[in-house]
Amino acid sequence: MDNFLFEKELIELADKDMTVREELLAAGKLSGGYHPEMEKIHKANAQRLREIIAEIGFPTLSKVGEKGSNAAWLIIQHAIGEPGFMKECYTMMEENSSDINPIHRAYLYDRIQFFQSMPQKYGTQLTGEGIIYPVENKENLNKEREKVSLPVLSKAEIDKIPEPEDIPEIDDKNVEYTAWRKKVGWI
C-alpha cells in the first residue's frame, strides 16, 4: 500500500505545529500556560491523526517512512490535552515496537508518566526549572536509556534528579498547571 500522501500530510501537520510554536516563542507568547493557538493546532492534528490511524493503522516506519513516522510522533507528543489519545498511541507503539523508533516510545512513556505525576523511566522530561523530572530507578536509568539509544547521563546529572517522593512538591510549584492537568483528565 502506498502511503506517500499520508507521509506528506503528517510532515505538513508537524511542520505547521513547529512553525506556529516558533512564531509564538519569538513573540514571547509561550510562557504562562497552554497557548490557545497551540492547543487548537494540537487538537486538529490529533483529530487528523486519528483519521489516518483509522485508515492505515499506526503510522509506522514501514507505512509512512522515517519522516512521516517522526511527524506522527510529534503530533502524539503534543496532544497533551488528550490523555486518552496519547495512551492509546502508546499502546499502538508497544504493539508495533519493531517498526517504530524506540526513542519515540521512550519519550511518550515518560511524557505520559510526567503528566500523571508519576516517575519516568528514561529521564526525557524536565521540571519547570530544567531539572530532569524524577525517575523510577536512578541506578538503572542509563541501562534503560541505552536500550532505546538515548545518550547516557553522567553521575552528576543523575545525582541532581529529585526523588519520586518529591513529585508533590514539584507539582505544587505550578498550581495552574496542576489545575489544567485535572481539567483535561491527567490526574
Side-chain angles (χ1 to χ4, degrees):
M1 176 169 24
D2 181 16
N3 294 317
F4 173 74
L5 292 176
F6 290 122
E7 175 187 18
K8 185 175 182 275
E9 183 179 3
L10 288 166
I11 293 167
E12 288 170 358
L13 292 171
D15 285 349
K16 181 177 180 182
D17 177 329
M18 295 307 291
T19 298
V20 170
R21 183 186 188 287
E22 290 301 318
E23 289 169 358
L24 291 171
L25 191 60
K29 295 181 179 179
L30 272 190
S31 59
Y34 196 12
H35 194 279
E37 192 171 349
M38 285 281 36
E39 183 178 20
K40 181 180 175 187
I41 287 171
H42 293 161
K43 284 182 183 257
N45 283 356
Q47 179 54 41
R48 181 59 188 135
L49 181 55
R50 276 188 194 87
E51 294 164 0
I52 291 170
I53 290 170
E55 193 159 335
I56 67 167
F58 192 80
T60 60
L61 294 165
S62 63
K63 289 180 185 172
V64 296
E66 185 177 2
K67 289 181 180 177
S69 185
N70 290 347
W73 167 77
L74 181 99
I75 291 166
I76 296 162
Q77 194 79 347
H78 287 182
I80 61 175
E82 303 189 40
F85 177 66
M86 289 179 75
K87 291 174 185 177
E88 289 167 18
C89 288
Y90 181 78
T91 299
M92 287 184 264
M93 291 176 99
E94 285 281 293
E95 293 165 354
N96 293 280
S97 62
S98 64
D99 198 14
I100 62 161
N101 183 333
I103 290 174
H104 294 166
R105 187 173 43 85
Y107 267 89
L108 185 57
Y109 176 86
D110 279 1
R111 194 155 178 99
I112 290 168
Q113 293 293 98
F114 172 82
F115 279 116
Q116 296 179 131
S117 294
M118 302 289 289
Q120 57 183 330
K121 187 174 193 173
Y122 304 96
T124 64
Q125 305 298 297
L126 306 177
T127 67
E129 291 80 31
I131 299 167
I132 296 173
Y133 194 76
V135 296
E136 296 169 357
N137 187 323
K138 287 184 185 183
E139 290 76 33
N140 289 330
L141 180 58
N142 278 330
K143 288 178 188 168
E144 295 297 338
R145 291 175 67 86
E146 287 175 330
K147 287 179 191 176
V148 296
S149 301
L150 284 166
V152 297
L153 299 171
S154 70
K155 181 176 179 345
E157 290 171 308
I158 293 171
D159 288 344
K160 289 180 187 173
I161 300 172
E163 296 300 324
E165 54 267 16
D166 296 327
I167 290 174
E169 182 182 328
I170 293 166
D171 286 351
D172 286 346
K173 290 181 181 177
N174 191 338
V175 177
E176 289 176 20
Y177 165 69
T178 301
W180 173 81
R181 288 184 303 139
K182 286 179 182 173
K183 182 181 97 174
V184 299
W186 281 112
I187 54 176

